[in-house]
Amino acid sequence: MTRIGTVVEVIIDSPGLALDKPFSYYAPEHQTASVQAGQRVVVSFHHQHKAGIIWAVRPNEEITDNMKPLLDVVDEQPVLTREQLELAEWLCTRYVCTLNDALSAILPGAFRVKGKMTVRLGTSVDVPDDVLATPLWKYVADHSPSVKEVSAKFGRTGKAQLDAWLEHGFLVQHLAIQEEVKASVKNWIVAEKPSSALLAAAQNREKRARRQADLLRQLAESDRGEIEWSRRVYNKGTVAAVVSEGLASVDERPTSRLSWVEVPAAVAPVLTEGQSRVVSRIGMTLDAGKHQTYLLHGVTGSGKTEVYIRSIEATLQKGKSAIVLVPEIALTPQMVGRFYARFGERIAVLHSGLTMGERRDEWGRILRGEANIVIGARSAVFAPVTRLGLLIVDEEHEPSYKQEESPHYDARDVAIRRSETFGAVTLFGSATPSLQALHLVEQGQAQILMLPVRANKRPLPRVDVIDMRDELREGNKSLFSSRLADEIEATVSANQQVILFLNRRGYAASMLCRACGERIRCPHCDISLTVHRQGGQMSLRCHYCAYEEPYRANCPACKEPALRAFGIGTEQIEEALKEQWPHLRVLRMDVDTTRTKGSLQRIVEGFERREADVLIGTQMIAKGLDFPHVRLVGVIAADTMLSVPDYRANERTFQLLTQVAGRAGRAETDGVTIIQTYRPEHFAITASSRHDFQTFYQEERSQREVFRYPPFCEMAVFLASHEDERLARGAASRFERELRRASLPDDVAIIPASPSGIQRIEDKFRYQVVLKYQHWDSVRAVVDGAFRLVKLKMNQYGGACRLDVNAQRIG
Ligand SMILES: Nc1ncnc2c1ncn2[C@@H]1O[C@H](COP(=O)(O)OP(=O)(O)OP(=O)(O)O)[C@@H](O)[C@H]1O
Ligand SMILES: [Zn+2]
Ligand SMILES: [Zn+2]
């Protein structure tokens, strides 16, 4: 017999390609009216309880005999919007990932649920006293355990006992939903009678019930006839008494655990001419309500943030929402504070520094429309706004907008995609736009807006390039050129601050034996161990796995005491600085000093309060920080960035040099930047020293075009890894063969299977295949098919495969 009912398509929360499709369940009678796409559910799947998301609801469908019911619907309201579900589907086709991967990228992990079948006491049958007296009964009463837990504790006889009791109806099965964290709620007391009635009732109880009278009076005097229920002020009894007489009711409302640092409200500065030109241009597009991508190219300190703020104001006036993406590292309380000072609690923040609970609550505030400005790192591009008007990507050139795990999405792509859907404006901002973004401008897919001068009209810092070969010739073996040393002294004695930049953490890049040439490597990875020195203790660490070994003076190969550290790191600068100028107060900011929560902020604030003269740092310090007292920026070795084997090395060098130079002279004095290098003639260095973006861009653009690198093609990088080198190589070769067998367009280039840049990490060998193409649509089906085929096989052999579409880097 066939039945007609509501069929629900569910995406099961489980990794793996095998489950990568919606599965059909039916909604029980009492839920047919309430099930909606985007709700979380629990279903039974191969005798297990699995969480999932409703993908689609199909009413009036035939329910087949083998179809199972939904076991539970977790949410009253969906946690994902329809547009987000469509976005998930788009992610799958754009980046070759499973639907579950796509949904997990969009929905914070804080929303994860587990279903657990438990046993608990029945209520409909009288239970004999001898049963009530058993330890097993007590255990069930206290713990509501799963059958498995009972078996583990009471063995086979316990399990048999349990089954019998279930049969008799003494116990019942119950599906318990375990949420990772629950939404936090606050209780409000809401007036149910007019103020006059409340005041009269208050007078009535003045003598006999003081607290009730207080409550009624406070309620009568409140603006909106409601007050937040603080248990410290009114206890349960007081509130219950007032509620029982129909004077008030209690309303439970969701709230956020995230508390704000109080920032005083700020007044808007008068815009500079440049800023107002840009703001009105964006405003006109917002008025038109049509999608448009802008690239705001504004030099360091040009006041891009103020442009963002004004454009957000214009967006809110249209009743729409805005999202602002900032690199994770730049998302400091200072940065958020600038927005908070202007918009107050209309902003929500989303980043990895939040606790699970905070993330969940902020998501809820956005979903309910309580917050209509979202500030966050990469994944905030997925924030559940329903009326997107403006999507800003600050520091657009940052590589961190590309996610390195599956799905390998690029937040800038997603930003454009979502803006198109909503007819919203995408605004990319940078002092050093990426070649990718400029390519969009050249292709007519984005329009450029310029802010060529600093907001305070001060000049950009003077940049001097020092050839370190000259220093050596003159016998200066220190890390600091004599010019940099002079400037450090001059700056500090003028009571100004110094930033020293080096893009390498640790004490030294590697240990090399001068007797036999041996380089000390990680036993598990194909990479040199980095030298670290903490509290005078030297040790060698692998930056790719957790391996660490103590420093030994003798070479492991030839046993000679000839080991020497090569390639300076930030720790060594700190040491040299303290040796040369013992009185200097120094702070260091890199991955090693900012591991613990709040440490990054402590360093930033300490430097802001001038508790240090010098801040040493890696690329972390180059981003968006606005320190008014910094006069001097020193780049210790520009070459470390140039020598990275990456087609973007020139671009990254130019960007980092320009960004870090931009930290100098932002307010009080003119800035000075000194770049030390062994390659002073390199165009990335000369162009950045002259603030000459055009020359750099033209040169780099033509190199990319000639050698065919993005943005002049798109790349997909396939990577196979396995402990057995033959299997890793085999998988890559198989992927390559599959591609070559298919008929791909002529413009596609396949770079043969070869070891990846680091051939082995954590004892796994890595082989890759790189594909260059013009249009993803023309290769997608073939690549997707080949990938699934090889990946399934590789997983059976205990290896892993990944595919990075629109890859920004190789290997
Ligand atoms: N219209 C204005 N009038 C006065 N000061 C302004 C104005 N706009 C911005 N500023 C100030 O100029 C400084 C630089 O602004 P902001 O940090 O926004 O620059 P930016 O373009 O983001 O620079 P970067 O790319 O280096 O991070 C800030 O201290 C800011 O308060
Ligand atoms: Zn040796
Ligand atoms: Zn290692």
Side-chain angles (χ1 to χ4, degrees):
M1 203 185 75
T2 58
R3 284 192 297 136
I4 299 297
T6 298
V7 171
V8 173
E9 305 285 357
V10 175
I11 307 292
I12 310 277
D13 181 11
S14 175
L17 291 173
L19 305 187
D20 188 22
K21 60 175 186 217
F23 289 86
S24 300
Y25 291 83
Y26 71 87
E29 202 76 30
H30 67 283
Q31 275 165 339
T32 50
S34 63
V35 283
Q36 294 176 63
Q39 285 169 326
R40 291 171 300 164
V41 292
V42 176
V43 295
S44 104
F45 189 84
H46 290 299
H47 307 294
Q48 278 182 305
H49 294 109
K50 291 268 189 197
I53 300 270
I54 300 185
W55 183 250
V57 176
R58 294 189 277 115
N60 303 320
E61 287 271 323
E62 189 177 311
I63 296 170
T64 55
D65 287 340
N66 57 2
M67 205 180 273
K68 291 186 219 137
L70 291 179
L71 294 179
D72 205 350
V73 179
V74 180
D75 305 298
E76 275 175 39
Q77 295 299 322
V79 292
L80 289 167
T81 65
R82 261 174 207 287
E83 180 262 339
Q84 287 177 311
L85 293 173
E86 278 163 27
L87 191 62
E89 201 164 15
W90 177 80
L91 283 175
C92 293
T93 45
R94 183 68 180 99
Y95 296 106
V96 183
C97 65
T98 65
L99 275 170
N100 184 59
D101 270 354
L103 290 173
S104 320
I106 296 176
L107 192 66
F111 283 90
R112 191 139 296 150
V113 285
K114 277 193 300 231
K116 181 177 157 195
M117 198 52 102
T118 60
V119 283
R120 61 184 193 189
L121 309 187
T123 47
S124 52
V125 183
D126 283 335
V127 182
D129 286 346
D130 58 329
V131 170
L132 293 177
T134 57
L136 176 56
W137 183 267
K138 285 215 176 67
Y139 179 70
V140 172
D142 289 347
H143 298 282
S144 295
S146 66
V147 174
K148 222 176 177 176
E149 284 163 345
V150 170
S151 303
K153 200 168 163 74
F154 294 89
R156 211 175 313 152
T157 48
K159 166 82 164 62
Q161 187 80 81
L162 193 77
D163 288 342
W165 290 351
L166 281 166
E167 185 103 338
H168 288 103
F170 299 164
L171 298 178
V172 290
Q173 298 231 27
H174 171 75
L175 179 68
I177 305 290
Q178 295 172 326
E179 290 194 65
E180 191 76 52
V181 282
K182 287 205 182 306
S184 77
V185 289
K186 268 194 185 140
N187 286 315
W188 287 71
I189 307 170
V190 184
E192 292 293 341
K193 291 274 157 64
S195 296
S196 53
L198 298 179
L199 288 172
Q203 199 138 42
N204 236 328
R205 307 132 235 234
E206 200 60 71
K207 293 254 159 54
R208 60 181 172 91
R210 196 61 212 243
R211 298 306 296 157
Q212 291 179 30
D214 286 349
L215 167 57
L216 289 167
R217 212 171 294 113
Q218 205 196 341
L219 207 50
E221 283 158 11
S222 65
D223 286 342
R224 286 181 303 176
E226 55 184 32
I227 56 171
E228 198 186 316
W229 179 6
S230 156
R231 309 250 162 182
R232 264 172 303 158
V233 184
Y234 302 114
N235 65 23
K236 258 193 175 149
T238 306
V239 176
V242 170
V243 168
S244 72
E245 285 176 49
L247 294 164
S249 60
V250 174
D251 190 17
E252 191 185 78
R253 294 179 198 166
T255 169
S256 180
R257 291 171 181 86
L258 189 69
S259 54
W260 293 100
V261 249
E262 281 307 317
V263 183
V267 277
V270 180
L271 293 183
T272 64
E273 211 184 296
Q275 285 172 325
S276 40
R277 201 167 13 86
V278 168
V279 168
S280 70
R281 180 79 180 278
I282 295 167
M284 268 150 55
T285 312
L286 286 169
D287 284 340
K290 278 209 299 265
H291 165 66
Q292 171 66 46
T293 303
Y294 285 110
L295 170 61
L296 174 59
H297 181 185
V299 298
T300 55
S302 57
K304 292 184 286 293
T305 313
E306 193 57 38
V307 169
Y308 302 155
I309 289 175
R310 297 298 174 96
S311 305
I312 293 170
E313 279 172 354
T315 307
L316 299 188
Q317 274 162 16
K318 302 232 145 318
K320 295 188 177 175
S321 305
I323 298 176
V324 185
L325 302 186
V326 181
E328 181 85 50
I329 192 77
L331 201 58
T332 55
Q334 287 82 346
M335 157 85 203
V336 177
R338 277 171 85 175
F339 285 87
Y340 185 87
R342 299 286 278 281
F343 297 109
E345 295 198 1
R346 279 179 294 171
I347 67 176
V349 294
L350 290 174
H351 59 84
S352 65
L354 302 184
T355 64
M356 285 272 206
E358 289 168 342
R359 253 171 180 257
R360 188 180 161 155
D361 293 342
E362 291 292 286
W363 187 269
R365 289 178 61 229
I366 303 164
L367 207 51
R368 294 189 299 274
E370 290 168 24
N372 41 18
I373 305 162
V374 182
I375 303 178
R378 180 178 61 223
S379 65
V381 75
F382 297 121
V385 294
T386 46
R387 300 198 64 208
L388 182 69
L390 176 65
L391 209 164
I392 296 169
V393 184
D394 188 25
E395 311 280 353
E396 156 284 319
H397 60 277
E398 273 301 311
S400 62
Y401 284 120
K402 172 83 176 169
Q403 169 149 301
E404 294 298 340
E405 304 104 55
S406 178
H408 296 261
Y409 71 88
D410 189 321
R412 291 159 291 204
D413 281 354
V414 180
I416 293 178
R417 166 74 193 187
R418 279 195 96 185
S419 302
E420 278 169 359
T421 310
F422 282 101
V425 170
T426 316
L427 176 58
F428 291 151
S430 176
T432 50
S434 63
L435 270 88
Q436 208 84 35
L438 287 159
H439 193 66
L440 288 180
V441 174
E442 285 184 14
Q443 302 285 302
Q445 292 166 35
Q447 290 177 15
I448 196 157
L449 304 168
M450 305 275 256
L451 288 176
V453 290
R454 287 188 158 181
N456 59 10
K457 307 271 190 307
R458 282 199 170 274
L460 288 167
R462 192 182 84 220
V463 181
D464 291 338
V465 178
I466 305 289
D467 186 343
M468 290 305 274
R469 291 169 302 190
D470 293 343
E471 297 291 315
L472 266 183
R473 243 172 264 136
E474 278 154 30
N476 179 6
K477 286 194 189 134
S478 127
L479 302 183
F480 313 109
S481 57
S482 50
R483 176 71 205 291
L484 181 56
D486 289 348
E487 292 288 0
I488 290 174
E489 284 171 9
T491 304
V492 174
S493 47
N495 217 1
Q496 299 280 315
Q497 291 176 301
V498 180
I499 285 181
L500 294 180
F501 169 77
L502 177 67
N503 211 16
R504 189 192 284 136
R505 69 188 170 99
Y507 186 83
S510 59
M511 272 294 187
L512 205 69
C513 175
R514 277 175 302 169
C516 74
E518 170 87 357
R519 188 184 288 273
I520 302 191
R521 292 172 170 277
C522 175
H524 308 287
C525 310
D526 188 21
I527 196 92
S528 301
L529 291 175
T530 306
V531 186
H532 282 261
R533 179 175 218 164
Q534 251 156 14
Q537 273 307 57
M538 256 325 190
S539 70
L540 301 177
R541 282 188 221 158
C542 175
H543 283 184
Y544 288 83
C545 71
Y547 182 79
E548 182 168 359
E549 64 178 46
Y551 165 76
R552 277 180 296 262
N554 293 9
C555 169
C558 71
K559 312 286 182 246
E560 289 292 319
L563 287 178
R564 219 186 111 183
F566 279 87
I568 36 173
T570 47
E571 289 175 19
Q572 203 172 144
I573 301 177
E574 187 174 8
E575 187 186 85
L577 209 56
K578 283 177 172 162
E579 241 161 53
Q580 199 158 343
W581 296 283
H583 63 282
L584 283 189
R585 299 166 304 163
V586 178
L587 280 170
R588 195 179 96 226
M589 185 159 129
D590 55 29
V591 170
D592 299 304
T593 62
T594 55
R595 242 180 263 278
T596 55
K597 202 177 167 168
S599 49
L600 175 71
Q601 194 193 341
R602 270 198 300 282
I603 296 172
V604 171
E605 281 176 359
F607 195 60
E608 223 165 33
R609 284 196 303 262
R610 300 218 226 184
E611 287 163 13
D613 307 300
V614 184
L615 176 65
I616 302 168
T618 53
Q619 52 174 309
M620 276 185 185
I621 59 171
K623 273 159 230 172
L625 293 172
D626 195 28
F627 298 116
H629 310 296
V630 171
R631 171 180 172 269
L632 173 66
V633 168
V635 178
I636 301 299
D639 315 274
T640 54
M641 300 175 279
L642 278 178
S643 56
V644 175
D646 185 332
Y647 73 93
R648 296 167 305 172
N650 298 337
E651 187 183 7
R652 286 299 288 150
T653 301
F654 178 82
Q655 287 168 347
L656 281 167
L657 291 178
T658 306
Q659 295 284 345
V660 75
R663 300 310 111 199
R666 287 172 78 91
E668 291 174 350
T669 56
D670 287 354
V672 178
T673 296
I674 292 179
I675 298 176
Q676 302 188 152
T677 175
Y678 290 95
R679 297 169 74 181
E681 72 296 336
H682 193 284
F683 75 97
I685 292 175
T686 52
S688 80
S689 74
R690 294 181 198 130
H691 306 293
D692 184 357
F693 186 83
Q694 276 313 318
T695 303
F696 167 76
Y697 175 63
Q698 289 311 332
E699 176 66 33
E700 182 64 16
R701 184 190 182 286
S702 69
Q703 289 196 9
R704 298 274 181 99
E705 193 165 21
V706 169
F707 295 106
R708 199 174 180 216
Y709 277 113
F712 294 97
C713 69
E714 193 174 290
M715 299 189 301
V717 178
F718 169 88
L719 183 83
S721 59
H722 200 286
E723 283 178 14
D724 184 339
E725 184 167 8
R726 284 166 313 171
L727 285 174
R729 192 194 307 123
S733 306
R734 177 68 194 274
F735 182 77
E736 183 190 341
R737 267 204 313 283
E738 290 295 322
L739 295 185
R740 292 199 191 279
R741 267 198 356 212
S743 56
L744 290 170
D746 290 342
D747 60 31
V748 175
I750 302 168
I751 299 164
S754 59
S756 144
I758 300 170
Q759 198 172 346
R760 191 172 51 113
I761 292 180
E762 291 189 52
D763 294 315
K764 295 192 180 73
F765 289 89
R766 298 146 49 85
Y767 277 77
Q768 67 184 19
V769 177
V770 179
L771 188 70
K772 293 180 175 180
Y773 49 88
Q774 291 312 116
H775 304 286
W776 174 234
D777 286 340
S778 70
V779 297
R780 192 188 69 77
V782 170
V783 176
D784 187 314
F787 179 61
R788 280 173 199 263
L789 180 97
V790 180
K791 184 180 163 77
L792 269 177
K793 257 232 159 56
M794 194 62 162
N795 289 351
Q796 284 163 10
Y797 286 110
C801 291
R802 48 183 269 180
L803 182 71
D804 182 357
V805 178
N806 191 7
Q808 300 298 300
R809 61 174 198 176
I810 305 174

